[in-house]
Amino acid sequence: MRHFAVVGSGPAGFYTAEALSKAYGENARIDILDRYPVPYGLIRFGVAPDHQSLKAVSKRYDKVAETAGVDFIGNVCVGRDVAVAELLELYDAVILAIGAPHDRKLGIPGEDLPGVVGSAAFVGWYNGHPDFTGLDPPLGGTHAAVIGNGNVALDVARILSKTAQEFEGSDIVGHALEALDQSAIRTITILGRRGPHQIAMTPKELGELGHLEDALPVVDLSDFPPREADDALEPGQRKSVTILREFAEIRASKRKAMIFDFFAKPLSIEGEGRAEKIVVERTELDEKGGARGTGETYDVPASLVVSCIGYSTPSIEGVAYDERGGKFLNEQGKVADRLYAVGWARRGPTGTIGTNRPDGYEVADRIAADMPPGSSSDLPGAEGLKRLLESRGVMPTDYDDWRKIEETEVGRARPGSPREKFVRHDEWLQTLGR
Ligand code: NAP
């Protein structure tokens, strides 16, 4: 028998557990640990609430959790309740699948002013992440800015633009829905430090902006190279750029505008005790395709600034860490003897949810090569972990507990919503009578 601890129950953790279960069959016990009693990580807390079809992938993870030999152990924080080194004494291998929940810093003056938030915080706020329930982003001004030209920037701009009716069918949390419904924001400037050809937005997600009830995407075609230059782009990127060009042809009048401001590099965020504007430098592309400042500056008004410029994985004591990449130092998923990393903790914060599947399978193959499926050890696995946690007064939860929480959330859903999420840790535990 082999015992594996997968730390983190997001997509990377579940795909790895699935792969290990397939590779080892009855010869393995796989525990998926999470610091919360609720699983699915990015699916629950990161994927936009109005993208329910993406969230539906959790049904596949349910099947994994229900597989014999696979267990969900929630409410256990690795690094606080138990150390990685301790897990390695109990399990044959430990797989870090903790994602990249921290916002990358802008590194410009004013980024700590009230009114400036990172996308992890803002997305966590509307998705019911307990760390960000109290964020209370300022929505009372008329201007907001979103920094970055990736899919997260699109999510944030779209969420800021939608009407309450457009959230029907979503699982946006009540506090965010209410606040967004009262929002005075009418102009959302999306700042990209490079041009339309360099966006990191995918066509489907970009296309959604063209169909909003009360908001219009605005582009300036003078930012674009000649149309023939689009031919050199790879097909997906060409499609995104075509969609951007089409935005310029929309003739309609709506209450809100999402302005794409390209070649715009934030220099500082300024205001009297709180964000009021971003000082931006006009850029041009350098020889390597990077952003080079031109020296020309201008102001973009914004009382709310959401920086969507990527994420990093938190470091864990004793685990080799790549400061520049914001992820664990690893070689094709291997961090150290019997210690592995998968998903964003391995690769950095890029790729879709589906990217984590081959990633998890690859690392499972690596583990199987290091400890062949027919081999065994006499490590205690979950039994040892539970004894250790008990001695520390930590009460883990299991998959049945999660189903209880889920049923309660579904039971209290407002009309048109699949669930009304609990947004605090103590609410989850209360639901379980703890
Ligand atoms: P991302 O795709 O890496 O985009 C980050 C953006 O931030 C880039 O436009 C980058 O510009 C910009 N940026 C970085 N540092 C900056 C700085 N200092 N100042 C100004 N701009 C800066 O990251 P993401 O949007 O966080 O998304 C993470 C991953 O999740 C991506 O793979 C994304 O596709 C995926 N995702 C998918 C979906 C979906 O499928 N619906 C939704 C959300 C996220 P440069 O290019 O110039 O560096």
Side-chain angles (χ1 to χ4, degrees), residues 9-177:
S9 70
F14 266 100
Y15 286 123
T16 308
E18 181 185 88
L20 286 170
S21 170
K22 283 192 179 155
Y24 286 81
E26 288 176 359
N27 197 31
R29 288 279 313 270
I30 302 148
D31 294 330
I32 308 173
L33 275 57
D34 202 292
R35 63 182 160 148
Y36 298 133
V38 298
Y40 312 138
L42 190 81
I43 302 295
R44 182 179 171 101
F45 296 122
V47 172
D50 56 343
H51 281 170
Q52 288 296 308
S53 56
L54 280 178
K55 293 202 180 214
V57 71
S58 66
K59 294 205 170 61
R60 180 181 177 140
Y61 307 154
D62 285 335
K63 293 224 162 58
V64 177
E66 286 160 2
T67 308
V70 178
D71 279 315
F72 172 70
I73 303 183
N75 207 32
V76 176
C77 181
V78 173
R80 183 193 65 199
D81 300 327
V82 57
V84 170
E86 289 172 321
L87 285 179
L88 284 166
E89 284 170 17
L90 303 168
Y91 289 86
D92 291 287
V94 175
I95 301 101
L96 301 171
I98 64 170
H102 289 182
D103 281 309
R104 231 180 241 160
K105 298 290 273 180
L106 280 164
I108 59 173
E111 78 172 307
D112 295 323
L113 279 174
V116 185
V117 297
S119 53
F122 192 73
V123 170
W125 171 72
Y126 61 63
N127 259 329
H129 191 293
D131 287 355
F132 305 112
T133 299
L135 184 75
D136 196 17
L139 302 172
T142 51
H143 286 70
V146 174
I147 300 176
N149 268 180
N151 279 329
V152 171
L154 277 182
D155 279 348
V156 169
R158 189 182 69 255
I159 297 291
L160 283 171
S161 306
K162 278 196 164 180
T163 61
Q165 288 76 8
E166 286 174 292
F167 284 111
E168 193 142 315
S170 81
D171 66 346
I172 190 166
V173 294
H175 65 231
L177 183 62

Side-chain angles (χ1 to χ4, degrees), residues 148-152 155 193-194 200 205 308-309 311 344 349-351:
N149 268 180
N151 279 329
V152 171
D155 279 348
R193 63 182 171 180
R194 298 190 290 156
E205 286 64 29
C308 306
I309 62 164
Y311 301 108
W344 282 6
T350 58

Side-chain angles (χ1 to χ4, degrees), residues 319-383:
V319 181
Y321 189 75
D322 166 6
E323 288 289 345
R324 223 166 142 251
K327 57 191 168 82
F328 295 118
L329 262 182
N330 71 89
E331 217 175 277
Q332 290 162 332
K334 186 159 183 168
V335 177
D337 185 34
R338 300 190 296 115
L339 181 62
Y340 304 83
V342 289
W344 282 6
R346 168 194 177 186
R347 312 187 307 273
T350 58
T352 61
I353 288 157
T355 316
N356 293 298
R357 189 171 184 275
D359 182 294
Y361 273 75
E362 194 185 317
V363 174
D365 282 348
R366 181 106 215 240
I367 296 170
D370 288 348
M371 42 190 93
S375 63
S376 64
S377 77
D378 52 9
L379 291 172
E383 293 314 314

Side-chain angles (χ1 to χ4, degrees), residues 256-295:
K256 297 181 189 173
M258 294 167 287
I259 300 173
F260 283 85
D261 194 355
F262 292 112
F263 299 108
K265 179 178 144 197
L267 291 182
S268 63
I269 301 166
E270 297 180 4
E272 284 297 314
R274 48 167 308 104
E276 289 171 5
K277 63 177 187 183
I278 307 180
V279 180
V280 169
E281 181 178 21
R282 186 59 70 213
T283 65
E284 57 190 14
L285 290 180
D286 64 20
E287 300 67 33
K288 289 183 180 159
R292 174 172 53 209
T294 61

Side-chain angles (χ1 to χ4, degrees), residues 216-253:
L216 272 185
V218 178
V219 296
D220 180 347
L221 286 180
S222 70
D223 286 332
F224 289 63
R227 195 177 277 269
E228 308 81 76
D230 295 2
D231 294 344
L233 297 172
E234 66 76 30
Q237 191 73 346
R238 196 183 318 137
K239 207 165 173 191
S240 293
V241 172
T242 303
I243 291 168
L244 274 179
R245 288 187 189 275
E246 286 165 359
F247 287 163
E249 287 158 24
I250 302 177
R251 298 279 169 269
S253 156

